[in-house]
Amino acid sequence: MTYDIVFFDVDGTLTNNQTGRIPESSKRSVHALLNQGTLVVAATGRPLSMCEELKKLGITTFITANGGLVTHQDNVIYSQTMNVRTVQAIENFARQHQHALSFYSHTFHMNGFQNEKITHALQETLSLMTYPPIRQKDTLLPVHLLCLFGDERIEQLYKTAFPLLQFKRWHPYILNVLETDISKARAIESVLHYFHLDRSRAIAFGDGDNDIEMLSYVSFGVAMENGSQGIKKVADYITKSSSENGIEHGLKHFSIIP
């Protein structure tokens, strides 16, 4: 089977899950796909500002903020933003209870609260080794995605305080806070529509629970060996770990690249 478009999650998929770096095998794979005319899309939880290394590989289409913003070159294909008053209300509540929030605009900010669990979650999901910049109070930057850091107890506290919002856990210590549901699958739909492509000709690679809808939506879904149990259950194929050249192995296994 040949595919017109390939969607790659980034952290733990295109990047080595142990070092956070993009291995040479992933770089070779992206270049091989682009050289043969296959469209390559990075579908990531990262904000757009953290995709510069991917742009250097030749990738020009990005699903960022877990599906909240989709761009091709300088064009916005799809965008979801949260109501400013909703963001401010959650921000004030989190400040009162000293809970951590992250804000995805074109850039990435936190609200200043940190502990060992938060630091570990940032490393696991975004390969961040240092604490991000702190969001200035009452800024009017549009927020494409708001995330809450916490366990089930904290999750229930917010569900009670904000019953009209959705809370969607995608990491053991991180939840999306949503007014309108966003996902990589919805973002993929917008990309396929933009390029006039059919999902029967689309393949996706991922490693986390936030990739489950993406792998389920496309024609063929590939999970990384280092991925979650949830993603492995929905995958059509499980390739090697991202630390063992899993992207290149999976693409070559199905003769998608030579």
Side-chain angles (χ1 to χ4, degrees), residues 166-209:
Q166 300 176 52
F167 294 86
K168 190 174 179 181
R169 185 172 295 278
W170 58 276
H171 176 274
Y173 206 68
I174 309 176
L175 304 99
N176 289 346
V177 182
L178 306 169
E179 289 178 306
T180 304
D181 193 24
I182 63 171
S183 71
K184 291 183 181 181
R186 286 193 175 195
I188 285 175
E189 185 179 19
S190 71
V191 172
L192 295 176
H193 178 76
Y194 182 84
F195 288 105
H196 306 290
L197 298 174
D198 191 272
R199 64 179 180 175
S200 64
R201 308 274 291 183
I203 184 172
F205 289 71
D207 76 310
D209 284 353

Side-chain angles (χ1 to χ4, degrees), residues 60 68 77 80 101 119 136 150 167 179 189 198 203 205 222 228:
T60 57
I77 297 174
Q80 285 278 7
L101 297 173
T119 300
Q136 297 302 308
F167 294 86
E179 289 178 306
E189 185 179 19
D198 191 272
I203 184 172
F205 289 71
V222 181
S228 69

